Amino acid sequence: MTALGVVFRPQLPPERLREMALAADRAGLDELWLWEDCFLESGIATASAALAWTERLRVGVGLLPAPLRNVALTSMEAATLHRLFPGRVLLGVGHGVQDWMAQVGARVDSPVTLLREYLEAMRALLAGERVTSRGRYVELDQVALDWPPLTPPPVLAGAIGPRSLRLTGESADGTVVDARVAPEGLRKACALVEEGRRTAGRTAAPHPVTVYVHAATGPGAAARVAAEIRREGHDPSAGLGAVGSAAEIAEAVLALADAGADTVVLQPTADEPDPEGFVRFAGEQVRPLVSG
């Protein structure tokens, strides 16, 4: 069954998160996703709050920028969340937006190399291993977590380019794809992930794919989504959005599921006039059509 989520966009102030999370939990939504975009809001702090406020909702962070975060710190935070809220945490790491990484002096020459080293170290630490690494970017000397998760959790990774998509198949436990892909683009992305899995001999284990999609309902929905897609430098006519009634949005979600998505995350526009209402709409009206 395809899981359905909604993004709490960090363009909203942090104090709006509680009502959004409670609305998602009460409406029966499967997942609430958060972003750690510079220089808006912390992914880990918001995730811990959303998890504490809710009872059944899974909370994802997509993505934590690897260049900005030491892998030992990220693994400590991830382990703590998984111990506190077992089965409800989904964390993904990625390259980070390169301009932002340059702003804080964290940009690296080879983001793919960093992400590969990061994923290998983080997965090992969360599995309870003692890790020594002498990589190009990741250096650890006999590091082990005192309180690793009771069961090794999945570590997700974000990707859009071919090399990075193959890397997620090789070194991550799941892939997060942003909203710039239509169903056919997602199908191609999933094929690249599978190439990486075959290369690494990891095809026996599950590898869930999460994809974002621009979404809006109500008056002016199509215009708002089209404007957002243009702002991101993409063509609004390329089939990137999910717009309209619950049935129309569910149809777009199912098209992405057919292309390989295990989870589809509705990404409201930055100017969504009623974020809490959109969450309720997604959980109460769209989700039954997707799961049914």
Side-chain angles (χ1 to χ4, degrees), residues 24-275:
D25 206 34
R26 292 165 180 163
L29 202 63
D30 298 305
E31 298 175 5
L32 182 71
W33 281 76
L34 308 163
W35 294 347
E36 191 165 78
D37 281 1
C38 298
F39 300 95
L40 294 164
E41 292 163 11
S42 158
I44 297 296
T46 50
S48 62
L51 287 159
W53 288 323
T54 56
E55 296 181 1
R56 42 151 295 279
L57 188 70
R58 293 191 298 272
V59 176
V61 183
L63 301 160
L64 300 167
L68 194 63
R69 302 175 135 270
N70 184 280
V71 69
L73 175 62
T74 303
S75 299
M76 288 165 57
E77 291 179 321
T80 301
L81 286 180
H82 284 289
R83 296 283 295 229
L84 289 171
F85 308 101
R88 295 180 56 207
V89 183
L90 301 160
L91 297 181
V93 296
H95 299 310
V97 176
Q98 297 308 296
D99 288 346
W100 292 339
M101 298 303 98
Q103 270 187 279
V104 297
R107 185 167 183 166
V108 298
D109 292 332
S110 179
V112 171
T113 300
L114 168 59
L115 189 57
R116 184 185 303 279
E117 294 176 359
Y118 203 99
L119 288 168
E120 291 172 357
M122 186 170 174
R123 291 180 68 240
L125 288 168
L126 291 177
E129 299 177 19
R130 185 171 299 277
V131 180
T132 294
S133 173
R134 296 285 184 264
R136 181 174 176 182
Y137 299 110
V138 174
E139 294 191 16
L140 300 173
D141 184 10
Q142 293 293 309
V143 175
L145 301 177
D146 284 2
W147 296 104
L150 297 177
T151 302
V155 178
L156 313 181
I160 195 64
R163 289 182 63 204
S164 297
L165 286 163
R166 292 188 188 95
L167 170 61
T168 67
E170 293 173 16
S171 300
D173 301 306
T175 300
V176 180
V177 181
D178 69 19
R180 75 184 75 179
V181 296
E184 186 53 37
L186 180 62
R187 195 169 278 108
K188 293 176 181 177
C190 290
L192 290 165
V193 171
E194 286 303 308
E195 284 184 26
R197 296 181 73 206
R198 287 194 298 271
T199 297
R202 300 186 64 207
T203 55
H207 188 103
V209 173
T210 298
V211 63
Y212 293 99
V213 60
H214 297 284
T217 190
R224 287 191 288 112
V225 166
E228 181 120 330
I229 293 170
R230 284 193 201 94
R231 278 194 297 271
E232 295 185 355
H234 307 302
D235 182 0
S237 67
L240 299 181
V243 175
S245 66
E248 289 170 317
I249 291 178
E251 183 179 2
V253 169
L254 291 171
L256 289 166
D258 184 63
D262 298 280
T263 297
V264 178
V265 183
L266 304 180
Q267 178 176 314
T269 60
D271 59 354
E272 165 60 50
D274 183 9

